[in-house]
Amino acid sequence: MILIISGTNRPDSLSLQIAQLYQGLLKNKGQAADILDLQDLPMDFASPALYNRELYSPEFMALRAQVARAQKIVFIVPEYNCSFPGVLKAFIDGLEYPDALRHKKGALVGLSTGSQGGVLALSHLTDILNYCGFHVLAQKPRLPYVHKHLQDGQFTNPLYLQLVEEQIAALLPF
């Protein structure tokens, strides 16, 4: 099973739209995938309870279980302040260490409303995932000015679709 993580908890995010697009592309290849939307994190998630498993909410435990079941994970990573959203880092920190990500494989897709397409965000996240023992596919599409190239949940720029489809072709046998 492939799990797609929409890397922000921002309401109505472009990340979620791209996660849904990615899920549809996987389905077209005959591959089932679930989406984990960080908007589903409980409101108290980033409290000191994050560091005490006995205080984890049932909602957070369910999200952790989704990650544990996943064979591969795709992170849809928006760029926030030249990195990725802090909520994604806190979510990773709240996963079972080291088993949640160790020896798993996956991919990253970067997006931004600026010109870099999340290049620094992808670099930062790759470093963290490598530390956790997660194997990151080398192909990391970067989607600059994504807000100008996404309409009704579909890419209007054919290059973006090509890059994501090429990543999927590499991810499936990875």
Side-chain angles (χ1 to χ4, degrees):
M1 194 263 305
I2 294 178
L3 180 65
I4 304 166
I5 296 179
S6 176
T8 181
N9 60 347
R10 179 176 285 184
D12 303 316
S13 72
L14 296 176
S15 300
L16 180 57
Q17 290 180 49
I18 292 174
Q20 292 164 338
L21 187 154
Y22 204 105
Q23 182 184 41
L25 292 172
L26 285 168
K27 183 179 179 183
N28 291 343
K29 300 279 186 195
Q31 175 64 57
D34 290 332
I35 294 175
L36 190 155
D37 184 359
L38 294 184
Q39 287 184 82
D40 294 335
L41 287 167
M43 294 301 282
D44 66 347
F45 148 77
S47 74
L50 181 62
Y51 305 102
N52 185 346
R53 184 178 179 165
E54 290 78 34
L55 299 177
Y56 287 171
S57 69
E59 296 85 4
F60 185 57
M61 292 301 287
L63 297 175
R64 283 174 47 126
Q66 270 191 282
V67 173
R69 286 190 306 270
Q71 296 166 341
K72 294 179 184 174
I73 302 172
V74 176
F75 291 88
I76 307 299
V77 186
E79 181 181 60
Y80 283 21
N81 300 316
C82 279
S83 190
F84 60 90
V87 69
L88 178 55
K89 174 65 165 81
F91 178 72
I92 291 168
D93 289 347
L95 296 175
E96 188 73 32
Y97 181 83
D99 296 329
L101 297 173
R102 186 167 48 183
H103 305 302
K104 291 190 180 183
K105 297 178 180 181
L108 310 180
V109 177
L111 54 124
S112 71
T113 56
S115 64
Q116 298 301 309
V119 66
L120 289 175
L122 295 180
S123 177
H124 295 163
L125 184 55
T126 298
D127 288 345
I128 291 163
L129 293 172
N130 284 182
Y131 176 81
C132 294
F134 186 85
H135 303 282
V136 178
L137 185 68
Q139 292 170 281
K140 300 176 198 167
R142 294 180 294 119
L143 311 176
Y145 302 113
V146 69
H147 63 295
K148 295 180 181 181
H149 302 288
L150 189 69
Q151 184 176 351
D152 300 322
Q154 298 297 315
F155 291 126
T156 58
N157 183 333
L159 176 61
Y160 287 12
L161 181 59
Q162 177 186 338
L163 293 171
V164 171
E165 286 181 333
E166 288 173 359
Q167 182 188 56
I168 288 170
L171 175 65
L172 292 176
F174 181 53

